[in-house]
């Protein structure tokens, strides 16, 4: 296109430079117009897919490197699932953090409500319970408690049981517990409510807590001196509790005063502004009602005033007509008297 060709013999004046530049632009436009129009033609070539290439592609996809974030998420999910599974393998006492014995009782631990269960079955259950307690004490010891140690290491060993069998056992235990719970609920519903309340009140009144002895004592065995001491200690404990609560309430009140002091000041300022605004509103409302009543009264009295003014106007006009007639007569008499005096 000759865009970079130097220009010769252009001239020296500004007009000659402008003419030369315009001629170059025209030449460039003509040359660009001669260029062929662009064509948007694309050619897409898709290779043929054969069974060998499909097998090769699936192998390459299997050999693709997994993203590190996906790997970490998968490992974290597996770790959480494994921890939950491990927690479910523990006993309920360990799962719920319930209290555990610090000494191993001797003899049979299991007690059967059904007399048809033999002692051999109860002995096997007791051995399993003892092994569970020893295993929990060895694997998951309770802080600040003496460690239960078996006399023989085999006593604290448990056989590995499949998770499916453990889940089946849990379902059986849940079914049995639900059945027992339903039986107890039916038995409770069969009992009369006043009778159960009387039984509870009787049982509650039969024992009395003595703070000086720190134990429950039969109510009929408490002497008068013990009753006096009990009430004195109860009163002293309640006074101490009241003093502690008062001190705690004072501290909390101070903290709230520091925290909410600005809000309280702002609330007082807003209360005063609201009271002033309400007072102004009430005054404006009273003024509005007074002026509304005055307006209604004026609207009612205006026709009567207009009628009265019109009557006064008619009276004045009549009086004026009369006076004008009298004035005319007096002028005529004056003129007549003046004419008579002039003739004489």
């Amino acid at each position: 296109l000759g865009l970079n060709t130097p220009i010769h013999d252009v001239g020296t004046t500004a007009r000659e430079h402008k003419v030369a530049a315009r001629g170059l632009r025209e030449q460039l436009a003509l040359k660009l117009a001669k260029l062929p129009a662009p064509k948007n033609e694309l050619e897409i070539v898709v290779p043929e897919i054969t069974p060998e290439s499909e097998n090769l592609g699936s192998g390459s996809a299997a050999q693709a490197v997994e993203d590190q974030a996906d790997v970490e998420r998968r490992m974290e999910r597996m770790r959480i699932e494994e921890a939950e599974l491990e927690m479910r393998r523990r006993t309920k006492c360990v799962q719920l953090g319930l209290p555990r014995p610090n000494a191993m009782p001797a003899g049979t631990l299991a007690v059967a409500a059904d007399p048809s269960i033999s002692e051999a079955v109860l002995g096997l259950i007791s051995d399993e319970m003892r092994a569970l307690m020893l295993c929990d004490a060895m694997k998951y010891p309770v802080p600040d408690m003496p460690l239960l140690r078996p006399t023989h290491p085999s006593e604290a060993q448990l056989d590995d049981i499949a998770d499916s069998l453990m889940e089946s056992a849990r379902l059986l235990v849940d079914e049995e517990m639900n059945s027992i719970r339903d039986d107890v609920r039916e038995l409770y519903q069969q009992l009369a409510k006043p009778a159960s309340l009387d039984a509870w009140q009787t049982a509650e009144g039969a024992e009395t807590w003595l703070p000086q002895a720190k134990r429950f004592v039969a109510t009929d065995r408490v002497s008068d001196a013990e009753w006096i001491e009990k009430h004195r200690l109860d009163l002293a404990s309640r006074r101490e509790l009241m003093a502690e609560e008062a001190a705690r309430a004072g501290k909390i009140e101070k903290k709230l005063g520091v925290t909410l002091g600005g809000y309280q000041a702002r609330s007082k300022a807003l209360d005063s502004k609201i009271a002033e605004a309400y007072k102004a509103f009430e005054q404006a409302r009273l003024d509005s009602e007074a002026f509304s009543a005055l307006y209604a009264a004026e609207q009612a009295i205006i026709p009567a005033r207009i009628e009265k003014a019109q009557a006064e106007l008619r009276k004045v006009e009549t009086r004026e007509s009369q006076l004008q007639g009298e004035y005319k007569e007096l002028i005529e008499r004056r003129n007549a008297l003046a004419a008579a005096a002039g003739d004489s």
Side-chain angles (χ1 to χ4, degrees), residues 84-333:
E84 292 177 354
L85 185 60
E86 181 64 24
M87 178 60 70
R88 288 184 59 83
R89 289 171 182 167
R90 300 178 185 179
T91 59
K92 286 292 183 181
C93 186
V94 177
Q95 291 181 17
L96 303 177
L98 300 177
R100 287 181 279 170
N102 54 4
M104 182 60 64
T108 304
L109 301 179
V111 178
D114 190 356
S116 62
I117 299 177
S118 62
E119 292 292 335
V121 175
L122 295 178
L124 292 175
I125 296 174
S126 300
D127 293 340
E128 186 68 18
M129 292 171 62
R130 191 175 287 103
L132 285 172
M133 287 189 290
L134 291 173
C135 182
D136 290 343
M138 296 294 293
K139 289 185 178 180
Y140 316 106
V142 179
D144 301 331
M145 283 187 62
L147 182 63
L148 291 178
R149 297 186 181 276
T151 57
H152 193 273
S154 60
E155 295 180 358
Q157 293 179 358
L158 296 175
D159 297 334
D160 293 335
I161 302 176
D163 296 334
S164 58
L165 294 178
M166 291 294 297
E167 195 66 28
S168 300
R170 289 192 184 95
L171 292 177
L172 292 175
V173 171
D174 292 339
E175 291 178 0
E176 185 65 21
M177 290 300 298
N178 292 332
S179 177
I180 295 173
R181 192 179 295 109
D182 294 339
D183 295 340
V184 172
R185 186 180 294 109
E186 292 178 1
L187 181 61
Y188 177 77
Q189 292 177 355
Q190 291 175 1
L191 295 175
K193 194 170 183 181
S196 61
L197 291 177
D198 294 341
W200 173 256
Q201 292 175 359
T202 303
E204 187 179 19
E207 301 288 334
T208 301
W209 172 259
L210 291 181
Q212 60 269 28
K214 295 183 179 180
R215 62 187 178 88
F216 284 95
V217 181
T219 305
D220 54 357
R221 295 183 181 180
V222 180
S223 62
D224 294 340
E226 289 176 341
W227 279 112
I228 294 172
E229 184 67 17
K230 168 183 167 55
H231 292 311
R232 188 184 65 80
L233 293 176
D234 289 342
L235 181 60
S237 63
R238 282 169 173 76
R239 284 177 176 174
E240 292 178 0
L241 181 61
M242 288 175 61
E244 293 176 359
E245 291 296 328
R248 190 167 66 88
K251 292 180 181 179
I252 294 174
E253 187 176 357
K254 289 181 181 178
K255 291 182 180 178
L256 289 176
V258 173
T259 305
L260 305 177
Y263 293 106
Q264 291 176 352
R266 182 62 176 167
S267 177
K268 291 180 181 179
L270 291 176
D271 288 341
S272 62
K273 290 183 179 179
I274 291 173
E276 294 175 359
Y278 181 74
K279 186 176 180 181
F281 169 74
E282 285 294 324
Q283 186 63 36
R285 186 176 63 82
L286 293 175
D287 294 342
S288 175
E289 292 178 355
F291 283 108
S292 298
L294 181 61
Y295 175 76
E298 290 293 329
Q299 289 294 112
I301 203 64
I302 280 175
R305 288 182 178 178
I306 293 174
E307 184 66 25
K308 185 178 180 180
Q310 289 178 350
E312 290 290 335
L313 178 61
R314 288 193 295 270
K315 187 185 292 184
V316 170
E317 288 179 348
T318 303
R319 180 63 178 166
E320 183 182 4
S321 299
Q322 293 176 357
L323 293 175
Q324 288 290 341
E326 292 178 358
Y327 178 75
K328 183 178 180 181
E329 291 177 359
L330 292 173
I331 291 296
E332 290 177 353
R333 286 179 63 188

